[in-house]
């Protein structure tokens, strides 16, 4: 497959990398090697060019001059927002020496790794950190707190952790969207519901 990384200009197909099940098809507009516009791909069979505002405006986040690009060390009391930039070496030194102290004093289970997806990717989602913390003997967390809680809640409500193929929902006679701001958090289901409503369902 041809790489688009070294092509400074053009419109390139992509897919949203955020931790969102919709995985919208995207068209990235590049000029002089920078992404200048993120557009929904109208030819994607499910998401059909509809994307959320968060990703539509992603270039502002990508190129924001205040974007965090290096470790910061807190240099004042907690909550006062006083930080100073430090090198990666210094940051890693601080963390490893604190961890070594903790392990010596309280054992490795005193360390609780907590993270979840953010961006979907082999490194940021379920990468080497699992092996690393396992080897370290750290505590085990059902990652994440929010997803595990949501799954348990879904099981209590629905009797199991299963779902419905969204495209099948256009055949329903009644939609109930309960406890959800679907316009914000499940936009493609709303599109399907609107499509269904034209043929009769409430
Ligand atoms: S709805 Fe937004 S966050 Fe979710 S996949 Fe589409 S563009 Fe990404």
């Amino acid at each position: 497959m041809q790489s688009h990384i070294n092509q400074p200009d053009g419109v390139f197909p992509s897919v949203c990398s955020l931790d969102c099940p919709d995985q919208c098809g995207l068209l990235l507009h590049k000029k002089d090697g920078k992404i200048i516009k993120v557009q929904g791909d109208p030819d994607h069979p499910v998401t059909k060019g509809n994307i959320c505002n968060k990703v539509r405006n992603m270039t502002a986040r990508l190129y924001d001059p205040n974007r965090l690009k290096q470790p910061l060390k807190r240099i004042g009391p907690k909550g006062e927002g006083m930080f100073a930039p430090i090198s990666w070496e210094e940051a890693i030194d601080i963390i490893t020496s604190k961890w070594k102290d903790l392990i010596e004093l309280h054992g490795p289970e005193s360390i609780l790794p907590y993270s979840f997806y953010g961006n979907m990717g082999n490194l940021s989602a379920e990468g080497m950190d699992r092996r690393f913390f396992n080897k370290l003997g750290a505590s085990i967390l059902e990652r994440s707190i929010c997803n595990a809680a949501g799954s348990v809640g879904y099981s209590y409500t629905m009797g199991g952790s299963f779902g419905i193929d969204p495209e099948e929902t256009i055949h329903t006679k009644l939609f109930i969207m309960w406890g959800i701001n679907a316009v914000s958090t499940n936009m493609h289901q709303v599109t399907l519901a609107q499509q269904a409503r034209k043929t009769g369902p409430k």
Side-chain angles (χ1 to χ4, degrees), residues 114-164:
Y114 172 49
S115 68
F116 201 48
Y117 277 41
N119 290 325
M120 298 287 225
N122 284 337
L123 289 178
S124 59
E126 293 181 6
M128 293 302 286
D129 68 304
R130 302 299 198 270
R131 286 184 177 190
F132 174 78
F133 286 113
N134 185 45
K135 186 86 181 150
L136 198 73
S139 286
I140 297 168
L141 179 70
E142 176 67 47
R143 308 222 199 152
S144 72
I145 291 171
C146 65
N147 189 54
S151 297
V152 172
Y154 195 92
S155 285
Y156 277 149
T157 316
M158 304 298 288
S161 189
F162 42 74
I164 301 160

Side-chain angles (χ1 to χ4, degrees), residues 15-26 38 47 50-56 184-185 187-188:
V15 66
C16 179
S17 65
L18 297 191
D19 174 19
C20 172
D22 290 28
Q23 299 216 292
C24 292
L26 304 176
V38 179
T47 57
N50 297 315
I51 60 172
C52 65
N53 284 334
K54 182 173 56 184
V55 169
R56 192 187 312 284
S184 282
T185 61
M187 56 185 289
H188 300 108

